[in-house]
């Protein structure tokens, strides 16, 4: 546990859910850091998963979620433009308790993806040109 991240677990609406997610993720041996104001879990200094909360849900965000196996169909692409990251969303602690072993499997898979050095094949998005710029 990283003392810098402690404040995150003591604020807001999702305290119990955040603590349960934290224990699941820390049990995997990842390093807890604080990035973007949220607890971020890394392996070999590479981001694997982040815990964050919103108004109507809290979530585990897998940085390379698009590369994860999803046999349970629980990974969510936040918007159509998000290419790599995927979330698993929760609205209460009971859901997290019920899914504990599944969540551990997803975290282990995310660690394996990172350790294998796999990369998301990003699709090129719209190209912008500046008026008057030479083509």
């Amino acid at each position: 546990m990283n003392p810098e991240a402690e404040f995150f677990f003591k604020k807001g609406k999702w305290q119990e859910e955040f603590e349960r997610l934290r224990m699941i993720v820390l049990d995997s041996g990842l390093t807890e850091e604080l990035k973007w104001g949220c607890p971020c879990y890394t392996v070999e200094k590479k981001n694997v998963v982040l815990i964050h909360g919103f108004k109507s849900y809290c979530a585990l965000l897998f940085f390379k979620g698009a590369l994860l196996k999803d046999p349970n169909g629980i990974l969510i692409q936040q918007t159509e433009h998000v290419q790599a990251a995927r979330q698993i969303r929760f609205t209460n602690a009971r859901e997290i308790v019920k899914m504990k072993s599944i969540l551990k499997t997803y975290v282990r898979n995310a660690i394996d993806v990172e350790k294998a050095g796999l990369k998301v094949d990003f699709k090129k998005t719209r190209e912008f040109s500046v008026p008057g710029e030479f083509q």
Side-chain angles (χ1 to χ4, degrees):
M1 291 187 194
N2 184 331
E4 288 182 14
E6 257 341 283
F7 84 93
F8 181 87
F9 297 97
K10 300 197 182 325
K11 67 172 186 152
K13 160 179 185 177
W14 303 108
Q15 288 181 35
E16 181 183 357
E17 290 80 3
F18 287 156
E19 275 297 334
R20 291 184 182 278
L21 292 172
R22 183 186 204 187
M23 292 303 110
I24 289 168
V25 176
L26 284 175
D27 194 40
S28 69
L30 290 171
T31 301
E32 184 175 69
E33 299 184 33
L34 185 66
K35 296 185 179 185
W36 309 285
C38 298
C40 180
Y41 300 87
T42 63
V43 64
E44 299 165 5
K45 299 191 181 208
K46 294 189 173 124
N47 299 332
V48 176
V49 64
L50 181 99
I51 296 174
H52 59 162
F54 297 91
K55 184 177 177 181
S56 59
Y57 66 89
C58 63
L60 282 179
L61 178 127
F62 294 92
F63 287 90
K64 293 184 179 176
L67 300 178
L68 298 181
K69 297 171 190 152
D70 188 16
N72 302 92
I74 58 176
L75 291 174
I76 296 170
Q77 184 176 0
Q78 286 174 276
T79 71
E80 65 181 273
H81 301 293
V82 174
Q83 295 186 42
R86 297 293 183 271
Q87 292 179 327
I88 302 175
R89 296 178 179 174
F90 310 94
T91 56
N92 62 63
R94 288 182 311 280
E95 292 173 320
I96 297 166
V97 170
K98 187 175 151 186
M99 295 177 65
K100 185 176 179 178
S101 65
I102 292 169
L103 297 175
K104 285 185 174 199
T105 300
Y106 278 72
V107 172
R108 277 193 303 274
N109 186 225
I111 293 167
D112 292 344
V113 163
E114 195 54 59
K115 284 185 172 181
L118 300 180
K119 306 261 185 229
V120 174
D121 185 21
F122 290 100
K123 296 178 180 103
K124 219 175 192 184
T125 56
R126 275 179 34 190
E127 289 189 33
F128 296 96
S129 63
V130 177
E133 186 178 70
F134 293 102
Q135 301 289 331

